[in-house]
DNA sequence: AGTGAAACTCTGGCACC
DNA sequence: GGTGCCAGAGTTTCACT
């Protein structure tokens, strides 16, 4: 489905999507028109979920970020868990949620305006729900790296 | 420095940067030329760090992701910690690193091709370093949400 | 896949409020 | 100040070879 050219293109645009087809042709040995064709296909076939602008830390660092590890109840019912996940999914403060192995079942990262907002949102999301056995919060002191990319080219 | 129009524009493009100035004018009550001017200024002044393409889970879910909580030594020296952070920063498998409060000092998310690659990379990053007191790994079973956006408009 | 022309978008000038 | 409008440059799109 994807050849090496496609992987090379995806590898480029996942790091910088601001380049033109002509500029991409400097990195990938294809003509600009072929690049454009492939990029259109990659988008249409859903290999690229979306293109986003990552904001400067000048904007994001001012906010309070909290890492919440959630342990679910031992026999949490399906409906309660679904409701919890739906709350997490619709909350604009929740940036990531991972289902993980180990003592805790979920990891969520919240980005809030200030501490009061976090406490309120955490209570709404977790405390009032019988599905959640307990949750533990660590606050983010600094973001040291943010590079949500995967190595595709040459693999 | 940033007025409500700028914040509205940033709020839009952090979620979808594929739209033209004319399309953005449907959401932000400005003319396309004013939109384009402001977007150019926002980029030039560094409010937008970069624009990236987020790849489909079809591509990223195949990989093994691991969440590593790292506890540093009680009196880890500056040089050792800097070397650790440099290794984390340059490793292509490391996607995020947060300095956090609580029992553990760092949280890192690794995305590896398979388990062998993870073990090898984790040893290289953490095990051989006296700066690291201990580290604990949880594996990601599922990514339930990924939306690294902050609410800007109307705040 | 590569080459061309048409359509579209962005960039620079200007007058206007 | 910044906004809106219009002409030129640049980019993407869609024929065809």
């Amino acid at each position: 489905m994807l050849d090496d050219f496609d992987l090379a293109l995806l590898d480029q645009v996942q790091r910088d999507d601001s380049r033109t087809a002509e500029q991409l042709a400097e990195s990938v040995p294809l003509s600009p028109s072929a690049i454009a064709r492939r990029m259109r296909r990659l988008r249409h076939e859903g290999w690229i979920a979306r293109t986003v602008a990552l904001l400067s830390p000048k904007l994001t660092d001012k906010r309070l970020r909290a890492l919440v590890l959630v342990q679910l109840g031992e026999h949490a019912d399906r409906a309660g868990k679904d409701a919890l996940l739906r709350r997490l999914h619709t909350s604009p403060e929740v940036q990531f949620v991972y289902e993980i192995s180990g003592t805790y079942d979920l990891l969520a990262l919240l980005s809030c305006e200030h501490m009061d907002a976090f406490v309120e949102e955490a209570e709404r999301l977790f405390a009032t729900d019988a599905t959640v056995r307990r949750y533990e919060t660590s606050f983010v002191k600094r973001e040291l790296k943010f590079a949500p990319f995967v190595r595709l080219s040459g693999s």
Side-chain angles (χ1 to χ4, degrees), chain A residues 66-74 76 80-81 83-85 87-88 94 96-110 118 121-138:
Chain A
L67 222 58
V68 182
L69 286 162
V70 181
Q71 191 176 29
L72 300 182
E74 291 179 9
K81 190 179 172 187
L84 169 63
L85 294 184
R87 284 202 300 279
L88 289 168
V94 176
F96 320 127
V97 181
Y98 291 106
E99 186 177 2
I100 59 177
S101 69
T103 308
Y104 291 93
D105 300 294
L106 300 176
L107 173 97
L109 181 74
L110 274 70
F118 167 74
E121 186 67 356
E123 296 221 350
R124 187 181 75 81
L125 289 170
F126 307 116
T128 64
D129 197 299
T131 311
V132 176
R133 180 192 178 89
R134 64 184 293 263
Y135 67 100
E136 190 177 319
T137 303
S138 292

Side-chain angles (χ1 to χ4, degrees), chain A residues 9-151:
Chain A
L9 285 173
L10 290 171
D11 199 47
Q12 294 286 328
V13 297
Q14 73 171 338
R15 295 179 161 81
D16 181 7
D17 191 53
S18 69
R19 279 172 292 182
T20 65
E22 188 172 357
Q23 289 172 310
L24 283 171
E26 299 169 6
S27 304
V28 180
L30 260 58
S31 74
S33 66
I35 305 255
R37 242 193 317 265
R38 281 170 181 268
M39 288 305 304
R40 192 166 42 244
R41 179 172 60 79
L42 291 172
R43 276 175 220 286
H44 189 264
E45 291 179 358
W47 299 105
I48 293 175
R50 63 201 317 199
T51 67
V52 302
L54 299 182
L55 304 186
S56 161
K58 282 189 286 186
L59 285 164
T60 57
D61 276 358
K62 303 215 168 184
R63 295 170 65 88
L64 174 70
R65 273 175 294 193
L67 222 58
V68 182
L69 286 162
V70 181
Q71 191 176 29
L72 300 182
E74 291 179 9
H75 17 262
D77 61 332
R78 174 67 173 268
K81 190 179 172 187
D82 283 353
L84 169 63
L85 294 184
R86 208 170 318 118
R87 284 202 300 279
L88 289 168
H89 206 266
T90 53
S91 168
E93 339 250 13
V94 176
Q95 295 194 320
F96 320 127
V97 181
Y98 291 106
E99 186 177 2
I100 59 177
S101 69
T103 308
Y104 291 93
D105 300 294
L106 300 176
L107 173 97
L109 181 74
L110 274 70
S111 172
C112 301
E113 187 97 22
H114 41 58
M115 180 58 86
D116 287 352
F118 167 74
V119 172
E120 188 178 344
E121 186 67 356
E123 296 221 350
R124 187 181 75 81
L125 289 170
F126 307 116
T128 64
D129 197 299
T131 311
V132 176
R133 180 192 178 89
R134 64 184 293 263
Y135 67 100
E136 190 177 319
T137 303
S138 292
F139 292 101
V140 173
K141 297 200 262 187
R142 269 194 305 170
E143 179 178 86
L144 297 172
K145 181 173 184 176
F146 182 79
F149 316 128
V150 294
R151 186 127 205 74

